[in-house]
Each structure stands twice: as C-alpha cells, then as structure tokens.
C-alpha cells in the first residue's frame, strides 16, 4: 500500500516562498525596479547557484526587460524582483532605466513619431 499523496499547491505559493526564502519584496536598489527596467548580466552562472538565478544570468546576456524576463521564467513581478535583488546586491546583474537619464525630460522624438504616423497612413 502506498503512502497518501500530499496535496499540491495549485497557486504556486509554496514554490514562491522557497524561491525567495520567505521574503515578500525586494530590498535596496531593487526596490526601484519596474516592468520596463532593463536587466543585463555582468557575470556567468556559478556551480551550485539557485536554478532561477542561473536562468536570469543566462537570459540576460543581452539587455532584457523585467516584464520579458518574468514571462520567460513564468514568475510574478514581486517574486522576480526579489531574485533580481539578490543578483543586484551580488553585482552579478545590472539594472538600467529604459530611457537614458539625459533623454528622460526631453519627451518623445517628434521626427520618429512623424515617421510612424506617415507609415500608418500609408497602410
């Protein structure tokens, strides 16, 4: 006779708890992350790293937004932010604003918007 099966957690909350070590939110510089923040690896995965940390480092060899990364890893934003916080604190990834600071106050490029509008009108 087999042992009774333990019920699974369909919400994934147990998995998320384990992934984050029970932390509910990022700390430090990761608290300013948003879905448009670009993440880029600054190191290669090390043997024995948590699988999700390895995946983040592999996928972010080229800049990738937090939203895209979450979709690839099938993780909610707050869980991913905790994992990114670990990597940011260790200096293994870098977080970049999607718009360079020197361009942030300038607004959209009007020439580009006119080109897009012209292209849409030709459709």
């Amino acid at each position: 006779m087999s042992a009774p099966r333990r019920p699974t957690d369909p919400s994934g909350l147990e998995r998320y708890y384990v992934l984050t070590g029970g932390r509910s939110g990022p700390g430090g510089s990761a608290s300013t992350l948003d879905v448009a923040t670009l993440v880029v690896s600054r190191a290669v995965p090390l043997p024995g790293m948590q699988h999700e940390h390895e995946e983040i480092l592999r996928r972010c060899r080229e800049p990738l937004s937090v939203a895209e990364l979450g979709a690839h890893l099938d993780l909610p934003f707050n869980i991913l932010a905790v994992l990114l916080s670990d990597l940011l604190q260790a200096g293994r990834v870098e977080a970049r604003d999607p718009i360079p600071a020197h361009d942030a106050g300038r607004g959209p490029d009007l020439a580009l918007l006119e080109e897009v509008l012209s292209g849409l009108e030709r459709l």
Side-chain angles (χ1 to χ4, degrees):
M1 189 170 193
S2 64
R5 294 190 72 183
R6 185 171 169 232
T8 59
D9 179 12
S11 68
L13 294 178
E14 287 178 10
R15 174 179 174 244
Y16 298 153
Y17 184 86
V18 171
L19 287 179
T20 63
R23 294 170 290 162
S24 61
S29 61
S31 62
T32 62
L33 290 175
D34 66 22
V35 293
T37 301
L38 298 176
V39 179
V40 64
S41 299
R42 290 286 166 231
V44 296
L46 297 173
M49 282 185 96
Q50 183 176 337
H51 173 72
E52 288 73 16
H53 286 149
E54 288 179 15
E55 275 300 304
I56 291 169
L57 292 176
R58 280 192 194 98
R59 290 183 182 271
C60 292
R61 289 182 183 133
E62 296 293 323
L64 195 63
S65 74
V66 173
E68 292 172 302
L69 189 56
H72 286 301
L73 299 176
D74 195 28
L75 291 172
F77 175 79
N78 61 327
I79 303 301
L80 182 57
V82 171
L83 297 174
L84 287 171
S85 173
D86 297 340
L87 294 171
L88 282 165
Q89 289 175 357
R92 304 195 66 75
V93 296
E94 178 183 329
R96 300 178 184 169
D97 289 330
I99 300 172
H102 64 276
D103 292 339
R106 215 176 67 191
D109 182 2
L110 292 178
L112 175 63
L113 291 176
E114 287 171 358
E115 287 291 323
V116 170
L117 181 59
S118 175
L120 289 172
E121 287 172 345
R122 283 180 278 179
L123 293 175

